[in-house]
Amino acid sequence: MPSPAHDIDSHYPLSADQIARYRDLGFIKLKNVLSPEALAFYGERITALTLDLNPRKGMPMEGRTTYDKAFIQVGNLWLRSHRVREFVMGKRLARIAAELMGTTGVRIWHDQALYKEAGGGFTPWHADQFYWPMATPHSCTAWIPLQATPLEMGPVAFAARSQHYDVGRDLAISDESEKAMTKALAAGGYDVTYEPFDLGEISFHMGWTFHRAQDNTTDQPRKVMTIIYMDEDMRLAKPRNNAQENDRKAWCVDTAIGEVMDSPITPVIWSSRTK
Ligand SMILES: O=C(O)CCC(=O)C(=O)O
């Protein structure tokens, strides 16, 4: 049955100032990007799948590692559900990512639900591109809360301009990255502002922008879907750590180092070349 019409494809116009801010700060928060109805419709399926596939099901919070307390993480939901696929293949967010990065178009790298459970812990400082075997910095994550997200729920927060900071880029998300980057970002004078998200507000951040989140002190889960985009011309870099090698095998096993990361599970979602 076709989904009821929710606008996830039309153009969301960005001002020159918004694009300049993203490129300067390494992230941007945009209001009213998706309607509450669209978030509810697609969010229902995303939540059902996330809870069903929850790798931490039945695991008490006490005794978990910092990482396991931070969120339930389930990836590539778009490959499991027609409805989620429709959402993740939406052109509105993809075009925003391309225009912010200044690329001709974007492919999906993957999606990921990040549900911070009621009482869930903080997300340690980290930069995503540590994990990805990409030849350039042109990746961009859309962080899509499925409810209004007050400070008490632990919305994502960014260290402004840290996309240029080459300290800590070899750190996986961990107690160590939290400790080292808290110190290093303070020493480097990077500003961090914790801000709530309205319903429909979505942030976009660069792959090398350092970010973290406070714990969720409410009795409700912080339900968030993320979509990770990359330049449609992104080339595969030689993996620099085990995580990158695992990602290469999972997503680009038939791609040679130096080739465009064009695989059946990294399709182009939006391109100005094919408009
Ligand atoms: O949702 C969080 O707590 C962290 C988000 C994050 O790490 C990401 O979207 O890359």
Side-chain angles (χ1 to χ4, degrees):
M1 206 180 31
S3 305
H6 288 294
D7 187 8
I8 55 169
D9 288 321
S10 71
H11 185 208
Y12 178 96
L14 291 169
S15 67
D17 178 59
Q18 287 171 322
I19 293 173
R21 267 183 24 235
Y22 173 82
R23 294 181 190 174
D24 177 32
L25 301 177
F27 73 96
I28 192 161
K29 290 174 74 205
L30 300 172
K31 288 192 190 286
N32 299 316
V33 183
L34 293 177
S35 70
E37 294 76 22
L39 290 166
F41 177 74
Y42 293 104
E44 186 189 8
R45 189 80 192 107
I46 292 166
T47 297
L49 274 172
T50 302
L51 297 182
D52 189 39
L53 299 167
N54 174 9
R56 324 226 196 286
K57 220 184 275 179
M59 218 194 260
M61 202 57 83
E62 311 79 59
R64 290 195 204 175
T65 63
T66 299
Y67 185 69
D68 287 349
K69 281 181 189 158
F71 35 62
I72 301 171
Q73 180 179 15
V74 185
N76 268 349
L77 295 177
W78 75 281
L79 296 174
R80 295 175 180 270
S81 146
H82 179 75
R83 196 191 293 185
V84 180
R85 181 192 178 95
E86 193 174 86
F87 181 70
V88 170
M89 292 296 134
K91 295 194 186 319
R92 171 176 285 219
L93 303 186
R95 182 170 178 180
I96 292 174
E99 292 183 354
L100 289 172
M101 289 195 284
T103 62
T104 54
V106 290
R107 298 176 180 278
I108 183 171
W109 176 230
H110 56 267
D111 69 43
Q112 195 158 254
L114 294 174
Y115 280 35
K116 202 180 271 301
E117 294 153 278
F122 69 95
T123 307
W125 280 115
H126 67 285
D128 302 328
Q129 233 172 286
F130 162 83
Y131 290 95
W132 304 331
M134 296 180 183
T136 76
H138 284 318
S139 68
C140 177
T141 297
W143 195 86
I144 311 159
L146 301 175
Q147 72 289 298
T149 307
L151 289 179
E152 299 72 34
M153 268 191 174
V156 68
F158 306 96
R161 300 190 175 86
S162 61
Q163 74 273 22
H164 304 299
Y165 202 31
D166 57 8
V167 172
R169 288 186 172 199
D170 54 347
L171 294 174
I173 182 170
S174 59
D175 288 323
E176 188 195 351
S177 70
E178 173 71 6
K179 196 165 156 210
M181 293 319 295
T182 300
K183 204 164 152 199
L185 291 165
Y190 292 92
D191 287 332
V192 185
T193 312
Y194 289 89
E195 288 177 345
F197 281 63
D198 294 337
L199 187 59
E201 186 170 9
I202 294 175
S203 65
F204 293 81
H205 67 267
M206 296 181 184
W208 283 117
T209 301
F210 282 91
H211 50 286
R212 83 183 287 283
Q214 301 280 31
D215 38 9
N216 178 3
T217 57
T218 74
D219 58 4
Q220 297 298 313
R222 185 212 69 178
K223 296 181 270 181
V224 169
M225 179 64 163
T226 61
I227 305 175
I228 295 118
Y229 303 97
M230 59 182 173
D231 179 3
E232 66 178 330
D233 293 330
M234 182 63 80
R235 289 175 190 275
L236 184 67
K238 189 163 182 293
R240 291 170 289 261
N241 55 44
N242 287 342
Q244 293 192 10
E245 175 59 6
N246 290 340
D247 273 17
R248 184 194 70 77
K249 285 192 197 134
W251 276 280
C252 303
V253 75
D254 294 322
T255 306
I257 307 295
E259 274 183 4
V260 172
M261 295 163 82
D262 175 13
S263 89
I265 55 167
T266 59
V268 171
I269 303 181
W270 183 85
S271 175
S272 56
R273 292 174 184 154
T274 54
K275 249 187 334 189

